[in-house]
Amino acid sequence: MRDLKHLTFFEDLLQEANNALVVQAQREGKKCVAFVCENTPEPLMNLDNTFGVRLHAPNTGSMDIATYYMTSLLCETTRSLLERAVEGGFNFADCVIAPDGCTMINRCVENMELLKTMGKDKSNFFYQYMEIPLKADENGVELLVLQCKNHILKPLHDAFGTDVSDASIRKAVAEHNRVCELIRAIGEYRKGPNPRITGYEFHVITLATYVAPKYLLIDKLEETLKELKTRRPDKKNPYRARVVVVGSEVDDIDFIKLVEETGAYVCADRFCYGSFPGRDPITLTDDEDALTQICRQYMNRAQCPRYMNMPKMIGRREYVNQLAKEYEADGIIAESEENAAALFGAGRPCYSTEGSSQCIRAMLRLSMLRRPDGVILAARNVHKAFVYGAALLGLEFTANGAKPLTFGVNRAVKAMGAAKSETLVVGDQIFTDVMAGNLAGIRTVLVEPFHLEKTWTFRLKRRVESVVFHRDYSKLEEK
């Protein structure tokens, strides 16, 4: 497709936090309100003489200094923000507002304050920390309203003389809604079999509306929408699948580009810097003050794990499901699960995330639910997470067989409540598995190994087995 006229303009805005539009707005006399979380209502930071900018740290390299203060266990987003603050990259900000959406982001901003990374030569500079409700209900609305009054509106009025009246808030909502409507309309061109905008282009444009003054973007957004109405897509769709990207702080435009370079079109987004739900327009009526309505809608639409009541937890999954349907995502994970079911003869395989430890614990739990009285078989060199998971779930298990000694085998037989005549010892090593079974008086089954191990002890045993028992391992691959 032909390049979008303003794509380079939007891309340039993302190369550094203190971008050209931030500089322009401050020259016009406006104050920059820096924020770090989607739970901070954006219209409240775009009042009168202020504009909101969500902090991000593009082109981050080393995070050694931030890691020193925050440890490597905290997420890369928070560490990259602190690293950039220490480097002086956020000195343009006139204040920082941080909600406790997560402890890591709070710790990040606290370190920014303790290390005095911002506010140099700015007498009215301030940090504010908000409390975000854990449940989305009317009590939560009241709490969020109070937090916005105490930690956004009052500090802005006291420090910068900002007009925080209901009329001013409604005016900011109107500007916010115009940006949201334009982003939504641009995003509609991601639908259909041959879209007129790439997922990368859309992500660049959407991210720009978080990190630059909104009022200075509207004309470029309007021109881009007009351009898309007549833009001709490629004759042949270059993508093999349509996917929805779901996550949290996805502010790396190269990540979306990488996904699409592999052949998957990003047809929709659900993350903190994305259009869903961050670019939902806010509906205001005259029946209630604007602040309360904003807080209620921010809380009810939020997909952040900060909200832990059950309807929210269930709703997050359904929200993504509806997005996938509306934008006709192909469901490549579901397709892969179906292929796995056919390959392994399973009724319904489930993929687990969070690494091997979490997968092992999940499998143990599922096995318990399906057959509470069943027996779980595990390999001799099972991951230690299996042992930990079994202990946490209260499962009896036998470990450290120490074959060819027999006490491990006998202990396992006793734990299962089985007779030796009803038991088999199955293994691929003659001098451990088979010998232990024979010495314990249990029938044994010798199977072929899947591969050859590299350790010298296994190599020695396999060599002796080849000589004494004429076992041929020449066709097995090393692993």
Side-chain angles (χ1 to χ4, degrees):
M1 290 183 289
R2 184 176 180 179
D3 290 342
L4 290 173
K5 177 182 177 181
H6 297 303
L7 181 61
T8 302
F9 168 81
F10 290 119
E11 287 176 325
D12 288 344
L13 294 176
L14 307 180
Q15 296 309 305
E16 59 178 312
N18 190 20
N19 57 60
L21 295 190
V22 170
V23 174
Q24 180 181 336
Q26 288 186 313
R27 284 177 179 169
E28 294 173 1
K30 289 184 175 288
K31 299 296 183 180
C32 177
V33 183
F35 66 105
V36 290
C37 177
E38 67 170 332
N39 290 307
T40 316
E42 286 182 79
L44 304 183
M45 295 174 288
N46 290 281
L47 300 171
D48 185 24
N49 60 345
T50 64
F51 65 95
V53 165
R54 182 160 180 175
L55 295 182
H56 70 135
N59 307 311
T60 297
S62 169
M63 294 184 289
D64 290 347
I65 296 175
T67 301
Y68 172 78
Y69 285 102
M70 296 176 63
T71 83
S72 60
L73 300 178
L74 272 65
C75 76
E76 288 83 356
T77 294
T78 55
R79 284 186 286 143
S80 66
L81 290 178
L82 179 58
E83 190 81 23
R84 187 58 48 86
V86 171
E87 294 168 355
F90 298 145
N91 282 333
F92 62 91
D94 293 295
C95 62
V96 178
I97 297 175
D100 59 349
C102 76
T103 304
M104 289 187 283
I105 200 69
N106 245 20
R107 186 172 176 184
C108 168
V109 178
E110 286 172 352
N111 274 279
M112 290 180 184
E113 182 176 10
L114 291 170
L115 296 171
K116 296 180 172 58
T117 60
M118 287 181 270
K120 186 179 180 181
D121 300 326
K122 295 186 178 184
S123 58
N124 292 328
F125 186 92
F126 63 83
Y127 289 89
Q128 286 291 330
Y129 300 89
M130 296 172 59
E131 181 180 354
I132 302 299
L134 291 171
K135 293 182 66 177
D137 55 20
E138 283 304 303
N139 289 331
V141 174
E142 292 180 9
L143 173 60
L144 189 54
V145 168
L146 181 63
Q147 293 295 306
C148 288
K149 286 180 178 179
N150 292 342
H151 299 288
I152 301 179
L153 300 184
K154 187 178 185 300
L156 291 180
H157 178 268
D158 292 347
F160 310 130
T162 305
D163 180 1
V164 296
S165 65
D166 188 77
S168 180
I169 293 174
R170 289 177 183 270
K171 181 179 179 182
V173 169
E175 178 186 271
H176 177 84
N177 284 351
R178 181 55 183 154
V179 171
C180 291
E181 290 161 0
L182 288 167
I183 290 295
R184 279 281 185 269
I186 291 171
E188 285 293 297
Y189 287 104
R190 294 179 294 175
K191 294 180 177 178
N194 206 1
R196 297 185 189 181
I197 187 171
T198 67
Y200 166 77
E201 291 170 332
F202 181 77
H203 183 43
V204 167
I205 296 169
T206 302
L207 183 55
T209 66
Y210 285 94
V211 302
K214 290 178 174 54
Y215 75 99
L216 295 176
L217 285 170
I218 291 176
D219 61 335
K220 296 293 193 299
L221 293 173
E222 289 175 338
E223 288 183 39
T224 300
L225 176 59
K226 184 178 179 180
E227 181 181 358
L228 285 169
K229 291 178 180 178
T230 57
R231 191 188 199 192
R232 293 183 179 180
D234 295 329
K235 291 183 179 180
K236 184 179 180 182
N237 189 340
Y239 303 104
R240 294 179 284 116
R242 295 171 60 89
V243 299
V244 179
V245 174
V246 181
S248 52
E249 297 93 346
V250 183
D251 64 344
D252 185 354
I253 57 176
D254 288 330
F255 171 71
I256 302 298
K257 179 184 284 187
L258 177 63
V259 172
E260 296 199 319
E261 285 176 348
T262 65
Y265 176 72
V266 179
C267 63
D269 54 278
R270 210 315 295 157
F271 42 79
C272 302
Y273 287 89
S275 63
F276 292 106
R279 289 298 168 252
D280 284 345
I282 298 170
T283 303
L284 295 182
T285 69
D286 296 329
D287 301 330
E288 192 176 30
D289 66 277
L291 176 59
T292 301
Q293 294 181 72
I294 291 171
C295 290
R296 181 179 294 110
Q297 291 180 52
Y298 254 80
M299 188 177 67
N300 288 337
R301 79 183 189 188
Q303 300 299 310
C304 178
R306 170 73 181 181
Y307 294 98
M308 301 181 186
N309 47 316
M310 191 56 67
K312 273 288 188 183
M313 295 172 68
I314 297 172
R316 286 195 287 270
R317 180 174 179 177
E318 182 57 29
Y319 187 90
V320 174
N321 187 40
Q322 290 301 320
L323 273 183
K325 290 179 180 177
E326 181 181 353
Y327 283 80
E328 299 179 310
D330 289 321
I332 56 176
I333 295 177
E335 182 180 346
S336 178
E337 288 180 339
E338 292 174 1
N339 292 338
L343 179 62
F344 296 106
R348 185 195 169 195
C350 295
Y351 288 165
S352 179
T353 60
E354 301 298 332
S356 60
S357 297
Q358 185 71 5
C359 291
I360 291 168
R361 289 192 290 268
M363 287 187 287
L364 284 172
R365 179 59 179 161
L366 290 172
S367 299
M368 282 185 63
L369 292 174
R370 186 169 180 81
R371 296 188 61 183
D373 299 326
V375 176
I376 300 174
L377 300 179
R380 57 168 177 77
N381 58 345
V382 68
H383 195 282
K384 62 183 179 181
F386 179 92
V387 178
Y388 298 155
L392 289 170
L393 292 169
L395 293 174
E396 293 185 8
F397 61 91
T398 298
N400 301 321
K403 297 168 290 186
L405 300 178
T406 60
F407 63 86
V409 176
N410 291 328
R411 190 167 65 240
V413 172
K414 183 178 179 181
M416 292 187 293
K420 290 187 176 181
S421 60
E422 302 172 325
T423 306
L424 285 176
V425 173
V426 180
D428 64 358
Q429 297 184 60
I430 295 174
F431 293 109
T432 54
D433 306 320
V434 174
M435 187 176 292
N438 289 339
L439 291 173
I442 300 173
R443 286 179 296 174
T444 61
V445 176
L446 179 64
V447 297
E448 290 292 328
F450 288 111
H451 52 76
L452 283 179
E453 302 85 347
K454 291 183 178 180
T455 58
W456 70 270
T457 53
F458 276 102
R459 285 181 172 276
L460 177 60
K461 285 186 285 186
R462 297 302 187 197
R463 180 63 177 170
V464 174
E465 289 177 0
S466 298
V467 174
V468 177
F469 298 100
H470 306 292
R471 301 196 78 191
D472 183 9
Y473 298 121
S474 60
K475 297 181 180 180
L476 295 179
E477 296 181 359
E478 287 188 354
K479 186 174 180 180

